[in-house]
Amino acid sequence: MEPKRRAAAETREHILLVARELFYQQGIRATGVDRVAAAAGVAPPTLYRLFASKDDLVAAYLEREDRHYRDWFSAATEGDDPRERILALFDALADQVGPESCRGCPFLIALGEFPDRDLSSHQHAVGMKSWVREQFSTLVDELAATTTIHDPSALADQLMLVMEGVYATTQAFGATGPAAASKSLVEALLPRPSAPCEPLGRNASFTQDPVDASHTPVRIDPSAARHRIASDTSGSA
């Protein structure tokens, strides 16, 4: 019995899964199309029917990574409290870079391999990083609505720098290196939540503590004081 043939969409997704593993672990430039086809178990002509060139394959790989990364980021920052959402993101980031197979951010890898700003691969990676920066700005703006932040845009960029530092150091030191300090650094950057002030009601009344008689000021009559002084002076003469 012949094995069941995949539909074109299934074959395409299968090739992208294989390409993702090879591109991420071995490098995009170092991985040829024939190697992807062999690892995927398809003939090169089949691959080229789905992806006209290696550039098309790389573009499809980055688009797929883009979708998955946005889904991951959005799921990690669900909730109502902006401060807790930011901290939850860095918890999720610690889980993401935990496996030994993690080489950091695939978009940073793509930027390193394609430094030419005119290349679509470079532009796609920059577009993703710009989206992440916008998400941090939105989170910090929401936090600023309830907590005093002197420079929200600077704080947003500082948080992104921490995230990028996690990805960059993971390749060299793993998740237990400098990346392990990311959440504590974020906690130090974020302002503490302000205690809310309860507004006074329309019928609110003010009460005054009873005055201690021992602290009641004594009223002095100036004329009586002068008479007292004159009497004392005449008696001492």
Side-chain angles (χ1 to χ4, degrees):
M1 182 176 179
E2 294 184 0
K4 182 180 178 181
R5 297 182 63 183
R6 296 189 186 95
E10 293 176 345
T11 302
R12 186 178 190 277
E13 180 63 17
H14 173 67
I15 292 172
L16 283 175
L17 283 171
V18 173
R20 194 269 175 193
E21 183 68 16
L22 292 172
F23 288 162
Y24 185 73
Q25 294 297 335
Q26 305 299 325
I28 299 173
R29 290 189 179 277
T31 302
V33 173
D34 289 347
R35 186 176 180 187
V36 175
V42 300
T46 300
L47 189 149
Y48 279 113
R49 278 198 298 269
L50 296 169
F51 306 96
S53 65
K54 182 178 178 180
D55 287 342
D56 286 346
L57 178 59
V58 172
Y61 153 69
L62 291 175
E63 287 171 4
R64 184 179 183 278
E65 291 299 299
D66 185 297
R67 291 194 304 273
H68 284 273
Y69 195 88
R70 289 175 191 248
D71 290 344
W72 170 83
F73 195 106
S74 299
T77 54
E78 287 182 347
D80 298 322
D81 186 306
R83 190 175 194 277
E84 292 303 317
R85 291 165 64 197
I86 293 171
L87 293 175
L89 173 63
F90 283 88
D91 283 334
L93 179 61
D95 292 336
Q96 187 188 74
V97 301
E100 292 184 3
S101 59
C102 180
R103 293 191 60 230
C105 175
F107 302 101
L108 284 180
I109 294 172
L111 287 171
E113 293 205 42
F114 301 100
D116 188 343
R117 295 177 182 272
D118 294 329
L119 293 176
S120 60
S121 300
H122 182 99
Q123 293 170 0
H124 202 125
V126 170
M128 164 49 64
K129 290 302 179 182
S130 297
W131 181 84
V132 172
R133 190 182 186 193
E134 290 171 2
Q135 301 313 299
F136 275 118
S137 294
T138 299
L139 286 169
V140 172
D141 286 344
E142 291 177 6
L143 180 61
T146 58
T147 307
T148 301
I149 300 177
H150 298 296
D151 192 342
S153 61
L155 176 57
D157 281 347
Q158 289 166 356
L159 294 173
M160 186 170 183
L161 277 172
V162 176
M163 171 176 273
E164 296 304 306
V166 169
Y167 285 132
T169 59
T170 295
Q171 292 191 52
F173 305 104
T176 58
S182 61
K183 186 176 180 181
S184 60
L185 179 55
V186 170
E187 288 177 328
L189 288 172
L190 294 177
R192 292 294 177 183
S194 304
C197 297
E198 296 184 2
L200 294 173
R202 179 177 296 180
N203 298 322
S205 60
F206 294 92
T207 59
Q208 185 174 0
D209 293 334
V211 179
D212 188 346
S214 63
H215 292 91
T216 303
V218 178
R219 187 181 298 277
I220 301 176
D221 185 351
S223 61
R226 286 196 298 269
H227 178 73
R228 176 72 177 274
I229 294 173
S231 299
D232 292 342
T233 303
S234 60
S236 63

